[in-house]
Amino acid sequence: MRSPWTWAALAVVTAVCGALPYAVAGGDTSRPLSAAEGRRLALTRLRTARDSPAAMTVRAPLPGGTAVIRAVVDEQRHRAVGWFDTGDAAERGLLAWDTGGLAVARPRTDGSAAPLTGPASLAQAVAEAGRLRRGVWIRRSYGPASLDTALRLTLSPLARPARRHVGEDHIGGRDCDVFSAPPSLRYWIDRTGRLRRVREDLDDDRTIEVDMTGTRVRPGVPDGPWATGPGTRGPL
C-alpha cells in the first residue's frame, strides 16, 4: 500500500496552488469600523461560542489541488473532528485536532480503522471517530503546512480583531459585510451577527477558506480521539 502524505505523519506541504476566487461588490470601499459594526463583531464572538459545536467546511491548498475537510468544531473545548478528502481515494480519512496538534486515522488494515470511502454524512464521520480504538490514530504536532494553518484557524476563527470594513457579499442567500483583520484575515458576517466565512491569505498567494454552515451538531465532538490509557495519549 502506498504511504500518502496524510498517513506519513501528514508531511509539510509547500507547493504553490491557485488561490480561491474572491469577489466583494462595490470595488475598493475599505474604511474603519463604525461603532455599530464594532458592537456587531462583539456579538459575533458571543454567538460563535454559543452555537458551538458547529459544522464547518474547510478548504486548504495542496500541491496540485485542495484538501476539503468537513468537520464539527467545539470552540469552547478547542477540539474538532472531521473527514478530509483530497480528491484522491487513497488520501482521505478521519482527522481530529486541538490546540496542541492533530491526528489522522490509519487506513483500514485489520478492520479497526476508518474506511477509505467517505462517510455518508458529517454525523457518520463523528460517530466513526468516536468508535475507533486509540491505537488507530497517528498523532503529530502542528507544522507550517497550509492544512495545519487551516485546522488551527477553525479553533479560534475570530482570534484577531477586525479593523476595517472592506466590502459586502452574499453567502447562502444572506447579505454579509466583509471585515479585515491584519495581516491577512477576512471575516464574512451576516446582518444578524453570525460568522459565515473566514478567509486567510497565505504568503505565497494561496488561500485558506473556512465556511460556517450554521448547523449546530449534537452530541458534538466525541472524546474517543483524546482517550488515554497505557501507552496512549491524545493529539497533543
Side-chain angles (χ1 to χ4, degrees):
M1 177 179 292
R2 60 184 291 190
S3 297
W5 64 270
T6 47
W7 295 312
L10 291 170
V12 172
V13 178
T14 56
V16 176
C17 301
L20 294 172
Y22 170 64
V24 173
D28 185 7
T29 58
S30 175
R31 58 169 174 76
L33 301 182
S34 68
E37 289 165 347
R39 290 191 293 270
R40 178 147 55 107
L41 284 162
L43 176 63
T44 299
R45 291 179 182 277
L46 293 175
R47 284 190 167 177
T48 301
R50 183 194 67 188
D51 294 344
S52 181
M56 299 183 187
T57 300
V58 184
R59 293 175 177 84
L62 300 175
T66 300
V68 179
I69 304 101
R70 292 176 174 82
V72 55
V73 180
D74 189 330
E75 297 198 21
Q76 298 184 44
R77 300 172 70 200
H78 299 292
R79 289 180 174 182
V81 296
W83 177 263
F84 71 90
D85 193 337
T86 66
D88 184 334
E91 297 182 357
R92 57 177 57 153
L94 290 166
L95 282 174
W97 64 98
D98 58 18
T99 56
L102 60 92
V104 61
R106 291 191 181 100
R108 175 173 297 196
T109 57
D110 59 1
S112 60
L116 293 179
T117 57
S121 67
L122 177 57
Q124 184 176 347
V126 171
E128 190 84 347
R131 76 168 181 81
L132 294 179
R133 60 182 177 82
R134 295 186 296 265
V136 307
W137 295 97
I138 302 172
R139 301 169 174 87
R140 72 162 173 81
S141 299
Y142 289 117
S146 60
L147 175 66
D148 297 38
T149 301
L151 297 181
R152 296 176 74 175
L153 181 61
T154 66
L155 300 175
S156 299
L158 292 164
R160 297 181 222 165
R163 301 297 187 191
R164 299 186 68 82
H165 181 283
V166 296
E168 298 177 350
D169 203 355
H170 305 276
I171 295 179
R174 295 178 179 269
D175 293 332
C176 295
D177 290 295
V178 186
F179 301 94
S180 66
S184 57
L185 280 178
R186 294 179 189 261
Y187 305 130
W188 277 251
I189 297 175
D190 70 21
R191 302 301 162 82
T192 68
R194 292 188 182 278
L195 181 64
R196 296 294 174 179
R197 176 176 293 168
V198 179
R199 183 172 291 176
E200 181 165 8
D201 296 325
L202 304 179
D203 293 338
D204 49 11
D205 296 325
R206 298 178 300 161
T207 302
I208 290 168
E209 190 169 272
V210 180
D211 280 319
M212 286 65 180
T213 66
T215 302
R216 195 173 189 183
V217 179
R218 292 299 186 192
V221 177
D223 291 329
W226 289 268
T228 58
T232 65
R233 62 183 177 88
L236 293 177

